[in-house]
Amino acid sequence: MLTPPSGLLARAQGLAPTPTMRGGANNYIPGAPIVSRIGGGGFWMNGTVRRAGDGAPLPGIRIQIWAHTTEGRESDPHSHGATLTGPDGSFRLEMPQIVPIFGQPHGHLAYEGAGFRTVFLRPVMASARDTSLSADFVLQPV
């Protein structure tokens, strides 16, 4: 029996789910409020949320965002906020400038809710001077 190449098998099954990243759940505070902006703003966190398999955009999904910024530590409740995805599955939330902690400027994002597996992301910025960071979720239905 022949085994197909791993990439071929993944494509045949559709879009693979996003795995949780190491350190992504650090300083997570369940139930952060939905906000129009975190703090004074000036930095943009954005991305998309799609369903594993068919890649359909997921509207109305709650994404929590937090980071170490010019206005607070990533463990501070005022450094956390959540937003909802739009009809096309995209989200965008303004927050204070992310600054390096543990040598790396990075953000934290989480999906936790009914219907899909929980995912925590910890994307690292290319430069501490960047004024935006993007992270995409592909959620696995449960």
Side-chain angles (χ1 to χ4, degrees):
M1 184 166 135
L2 295 174
T3 303
S6 61
L8 182 60
L9 185 59
R11 281 192 300 274
Q13 293 175 343
L15 191 60
T18 302
T20 290
M21 297 174 92
R22 182 181 169 129
N26 292 352
N27 297 302
Y28 173 68
I29 299 174
I34 293 176
V35 297
S36 59
R37 180 171 72 189
I38 299 172
F43 183 92
W44 289 95
M45 185 73 76
N46 60 69
T48 60
V49 181
R50 297 181 293 159
R51 182 175 47 228
D54 64 7
L58 295 172
I61 296 291
R62 187 179 183 280
I63 299 295
Q64 185 179 150
I65 297 170
W66 69 100
H68 191 83
T69 72
T70 56
E71 295 179 16
R73 298 184 174 275
E74 63 184 45
S75 59
D76 296 337
H78 68 269
S79 295
H80 291 245
T83 189
L84 298 174
T85 58
D88 62 353
S90 69
F91 64 89
R92 187 171 192 225
L93 186 64
E94 190 177 14
M95 60 190 295
Q97 179 66 41
I98 292 177
V99 294
I101 184 170
F102 307 117
Q104 298 176 314
H106 62 276
H108 291 268
L109 299 95
Y111 164 76
E112 182 179 51
F116 298 95
R117 289 189 186 147
T118 299
V119 177
F120 291 98
L121 299 181
R122 184 186 176 272
V124 175
M125 295 163 47
S127 166
R129 292 183 300 274
D130 291 347
T131 57
S132 68
L133 184 59
S134 184
D136 298 316
F137 290 78
V138 178
L139 301 180
Q140 178 67 50
V142 290

